[in-house]
Amino acid sequence: GQNIDQPTEMTATEGAIVQINCTYQTSGFNGLFWYQQHAGEAPTFLSYNVLDGLEEKGRFSSFLSRSKGYSYLLLKELQMKDSASYLCAVSPSDYKLSFGAGTTVTVRA
Amino acid sequence: DVKVTQSSRYLVKRTGEKVFLECVQDMDHENMFWYRQDPGLGLRLIYFSYDVKMKEKGDIPEGYSVSREKKERFSLILESASTNQTSMYLCASRLPGGTEAFFGQGTRLTVV
């Protein structure tokens, strides 16, 4: 099976930076994903990493180290609308997609 | 605009009823998934399908079955609903090895 761990909750101030860590142990590896989910809504795709290194997309960046089974999502210049759950997901094969329990980020004014 | 559509946003069913949750995607994706989402547990994979009539168990298949008779449609079946199946159910689709999975809006099922 898959084991994907991330912190349950994080709180940060508007304008600050927050880093959400994700560690994983999977039977195979075909990419790591980050999704954002606002309360009562479906998850929406944020980023995808399959090679080691940093992928930057506007205020959001995602990092992957395959040898360490580790990823993080970096949210910069936090805005109130960034308050949401952030889900780390790993694809152990072309077919399957498994999620961690999610990290709830609360942005305070 | 790509779309994954789940047939109902809210459902209330009685214990022991047979329940069908329907999901349709318009992106010609081979892979489709059913998850349930519960507070503190995140998204847990129930079943997935990688082609018509092909299915595989996910992490929590007990009490569920699925049907994939057409590529665009993936149905989740609760043969005899129980109160511990009260949850949010999310359907998703994706190309094999694709970089993004697309989700439906979810069905909040309450079993009373």
Side-chain angles (χ1 to χ4, degrees):
Chain A
Q2 273 54 244
N3 192 16
I4 303 169
D5 291 315
Q6 51 183 129
T8 305
E9 293 180 340
M10 301 184 75
T11 301
T13 306
E14 200 173 12
I17 298 172
V18 70
Q19 178 175 314
I20 306 169
N21 296 324
C22 172
T23 58
Y24 64 90
Q25 291 178 302
T26 57
S27 52
F29 185 79
N30 200 39
L32 187 140
F33 303 77
W34 285 95
Y35 281 80
Q36 181 190 59
Q37 186 179 26
H38 285 101
E41 298 181 11
T44 55
F45 172 78
L46 287 178
S47 69
Y48 168 72
N49 295 71
V50 68
L51 299 176
D52 289 354
L54 189 67
E55 294 281 342
E56 297 189 81
K57 194 187 288 187
R59 294 189 297 113
F60 294 179
S61 303
S62 56
F63 172 83
L64 174 67
S65 168
R66 288 172 298 170
S67 62
K68 295 182 179 177
Y70 168 71
S71 172
Y72 67 72
L73 179 70
L74 196 68
L75 286 62
K76 293 177 272 191
E77 300 170 19
L78 278 173
Q79 302 175 9
M80 299 300 287
K81 68 178 182 179
D82 298 328
S83 291
S85 284
Y86 292 84
L87 312 175
C88 174
V90 176
S91 184
S93 70
D94 273 353
Y95 305 119
K96 199 173 178 183
L97 187 61
S98 296
F99 285 79
T103 300
T104 300
V105 171
T106 302
V107 181
R108 292 184 175 164
Chain B
D1 200 17
V2 297
K3 200 173 266 191
V4 179
T5 304
Q6 293 182 229
S7 52
S8 304
R9 287 297 302 271
Y10 301 94
L11 273 180
V12 180
K13 296 292 182 180
R14 295 194 180 278
T15 301
E17 275 193 76
K18 189 169 187 176
V19 181
F20 293 85
L21 302 183
E22 306 286 347
C23 176
V24 177
Q25 51 98 359
D26 65 0
M27 294 166 282
D28 203 35
H29 286 169
E30 284 81 3
N31 296 354
M32 296 187 75
F33 308 83
W34 274 107
Y35 296 89
R36 63 177 284 178
Q37 187 172 29
D38 302 287
L41 297 177
L43 274 75
R44 291 181 291 166
L45 183 62
I46 304 171
Y47 267 96
F48 66 100
S49 169
Y50 51 91
D51 205 345
V52 175
K53 297 191 187 294
M54 306 302 285
K55 60 187 179 184
E56 282 203 25
K57 293 179 181 179
D59 300 315
I60 52 162
E62 296 78 19
Y64 303 94
S65 62
V66 290
S67 173
R68 183 109 181 257
E69 295 296 318
K70 293 185 178 181
K71 192 175 186 180
E72 66 270 19
R73 186 180 297 270
F74 191 36
S75 302
L76 180 69
I77 304 155
L78 288 67
E79 294 289 342
S80 178
S82 63
T83 55
N84 63 13
Q85 292 178 311
T86 291
S87 186
M88 170 68 83
Y89 289 88
L90 287 160
C91 174
S93 76
R94 178 184 172 218
L95 287 170
T99 59
E100 182 174 355
F102 296 86
F103 283 84
Q105 282 301 103
T107 297
R108 184 164 294 283
L109 173 67
T110 302
V111 182
V112 297

